[in-house]
Amino acid sequence: MPFQHFSIIESTLREGEQFSTATFTTAQKIEIVRLLDRFGVEMIEMTSPLASPQSEADVHAVARVVRAEGLRVKLLTHVRCKREDALRALETGVHGIDVVIGTSPQLMQHSHGKDIRYIIDAAGEVLSFIREQAPDVILRFSTEDTFRSRLSDLYRVYLAVADLNLVNRLGVADTVGVALPSQVTLLVSELVRLTGLDIEFHGHNDSGCAIANACAALEGGATHIDTTILGIGERNGITPLGGLIARLYTLNKAYVAKYNLRVLPELDRLVADICGIDIPFNNYITGASAFIHKAGIHAKAVLADPETYEALNPADFGLTRTVPIGHRLTGWNAVRRRAQELALALPDHTVQRITQEIKARADSTPLTPAEVDQLLVEASQAGEIHT
Ligand code: HCA
Ligand code: CU
């Protein structure tokens, strides 16, 4: 089964740093790495040491922490397909190096200005150099803008790289977020069939398919999925960690049982705070409204059995559901539940009368929970229990 054997490559400290408001300090990077390790992601990718002096120092610093604290996570860094980049990456002491080069007509023209022949030669040279220097390093080769590249170009490059027998993994990247799930499944399954290598998928979210495409990659036999916390990254980012977890959990909880799911809210909160943003209200699992059941019919069913309207159990993530009752869509079953929580033994007709009052008042302004409680307590004190 494709979903049972996959690893997460968590790229908050690489792709995520490319998000408009993200600039992580060394201490913040270390905090994120420790928390991601506690969550259980298999790999963490960090910004290239060539990006800036601090970026280089931080890869060294995090590599030291990973070693000193015996963290399970494997540390990767991300470099262009150049010998000098590879050398600097090797010097950081990371477990793995992710090499990338653009193959779409757009990137070949405007990014590096080279053709496919050059790309194949450069990949051969750089990958051989890395392998000579570090026989045990985890080595990945990826094309950038894979899904706008010509298929014939892609196959030439991937097959040439696979033939070298140097890399552990091939990557495909939906760099501008345009791939369809069916395209992703097809390309990934072809690469698995042709090369037998592990395949990584990296997908941007420009057209809202980043999670669906990650799932489609797994369906095609991908072994590694790139994520970032909250999905941060260039423009509107990539597959969010929590979104991928929600996608897989709702297929089968067992697929994500290897992760410590209760750490997810802490991760989302930490990165939102560092970036100075809110967790979006509709975020997967940790959005403010993710476990709020409002309409009377929903509330009644959820109070009887949460699974009626919940595909994800909030308790698995250390969260709780909320059933607000101070609004005009409220139902008397939910109001009765609140009376029971307050240990008020109100008869049904009283609860129904209060429910009608809530609806009428909430037509202009919803009541706060305290205002609803007050109505219930007052009814109880008025002795309505006997009427
Ligand atoms: C980049 C582009 C990249 C690379 C992905 C990868 C993309 O910012 O370098 O190396 O897996 O989206 O193509 O993030
Ligand atoms: Cu990217």
Side-chain angles (χ1 to χ4, degrees):
M1 269 302 292
F3 298 108
Q4 267 151 4
H5 304 286
F6 73 95
S7 298
I8 291 176
I9 300 183
E10 228 301 325
S11 189
T12 298
L13 297 186
R14 198 283 293 172
E15 176 74 50
E17 263 214 311
Q18 298 172 218
F19 179 60
S20 51
T21 65
T23 308
F24 302 118
T25 64
T26 314
Q28 287 167 342
K29 288 183 187 180
I30 291 170
E31 192 178 0
I32 290 169
V33 166
R34 285 190 181 127
L35 211 51
L36 282 172
D37 183 69
R38 195 139 72 75
F39 180 84
V41 298
E42 290 82 358
M43 297 181 175
I44 290 177
E45 184 181 65
M46 292 190 71
T47 297
S48 167
L50 284 96
S52 73
Q54 192 58 51
S55 301
E56 182 164 25
D58 288 349
V59 186
H60 283 271
V62 170
R64 276 195 298 273
V65 168
V66 168
R67 271 195 304 275
E69 298 181 12
L71 303 186
R72 283 172 307 167
V73 75
K74 298 272 178 269
L75 198 62
L76 317 174
T77 189
H78 185 256
V79 295
R80 296 170 300 180
C81 190
K82 289 178 185 285
R83 187 188 266 259
E84 62 266 31
D85 290 31
L87 185 60
R88 293 270 284 282
L90 286 163
E91 286 166 359
T92 59
V94 290
H95 301 102
I97 301 182
D98 292 343
V99 176
V100 67
I101 186 160
T103 47
S104 65
Q106 291 87 340
L107 292 186
M108 287 200 283
Q109 193 183 345
H110 300 296
S111 177
H112 50 69
K114 311 288 190 199
D115 61 12
I116 290 293
R117 189 65 255 161
Y118 173 91
I119 290 171
I120 292 172
D121 291 345
E125 191 208 322
V126 172
L127 297 171
S128 310
F129 172 70
I130 297 174
R131 209 22 106 218
E132 277 159 25
Q133 302 292 312
D136 296 329
V137 82
I138 308 167
L139 187 52
R140 180 216 72 173
F141 172 83
S142 184
T143 66
E144 186 186 355
D145 208 3
T146 313
F147 291 88
R148 289 192 305 174
S149 305
R150 279 186 287 265
L151 262 184
S152 54
D153 287 347
L154 287 178
Y155 288 127
R156 276 178 72 196
V157 173
Y158 284 124
L159 290 176
V161 168
D163 276 351
L164 297 172
N165 265 325
L166 297 169
V167 300
N168 305 85
R169 223 169 53 245
L170 295 174
V172 295
D174 183 18
T175 305
V176 292
V178 292
L180 282 169
S182 52
Q183 275 178 291
V184 175
T185 307
L186 189 63
L187 179 62
V188 170
S189 56
E190 277 300 283
L191 290 176
V192 170
R193 191 175 66 81
L194 292 171
T195 70
L197 287 167
D198 281 358
I199 305 291
E200 167 182 349
F201 175 76
H202 175 100
H204 279 261
N205 203 31
D206 301 72
S207 57
C209 286
I211 299 170
N213 284 342
C215 186
L218 291 172
E219 289 179 291
T223 49
H224 294 72
I225 299 294
D226 289 13
T227 66
T228 61
I229 300 163
L230 293 173
I232 61 171
E234 286 286 351
R235 307 181 306 283
N236 69 345
I238 66 163
T239 309
L241 176 63
L244 180 69
I245 295 297
R247 175 62 284 176
L248 297 177
Y249 175 114
T250 51
L251 289 175
N252 186 340
K253 235 165 115 160
Y255 297 155
V256 292
K258 59 182 173 172
Y259 300 116
N260 185 0
L261 301 180
R262 288 167 168 262
V263 175
L264 185 69
E266 218 181 315
L267 280 165
D268 281 357
R269 171 57 41 217
L270 175 67
V271 167
D273 287 349
I274 293 174
C275 295
I277 56 170
D278 287 333
I279 295 176
F281 77 89
N282 57 351
N283 197 47
Y284 321 92
I285 301 165
T286 60
S289 68
F291 296 109
I292 296 181
H293 303 275
K294 185 173 170 187
I297 293 170
H298 286 245
K300 180 184 176 199
V302 163
L303 290 172
D305 179 357
E307 278 191 22
T308 336
Y309 283 111
E310 271 176 4
L312 299 127
N313 181 354
D316 286 337
F317 303 90
L319 299 170
T320 48
R321 74 183 57 86
T322 315
V323 181
I325 51 175
H327 54 86
R328 65 177 169 201
L329 305 183
T330 200
W332 76 276
N333 282 283
V335 178
R336 181 175 58 185
R337 172 65 67 101
R338 182 61 191 153
Q340 286 163 352
E341 282 169 6
L342 296 171
L344 303 173
L346 298 175
D348 287 354
H349 68 87
T350 301
V351 176
Q352 284 159 354
R353 182 192 58 72
I354 292 170
T355 306
Q356 290 314 314
E357 185 179 341
I358 293 170
K359 283 171 172 289
R361 281 175 55 184
D363 255 343
S364 53
T365 320
L367 280 70
T368 64
E371 285 169 336
V372 173
D373 286 357
Q374 197 186 345
L375 283 178
L376 293 167
V377 170
E378 278 170 7
S380 160
Q381 285 168 351
E384 287 203 23
I385 191 165
H386 305 299
T387 62

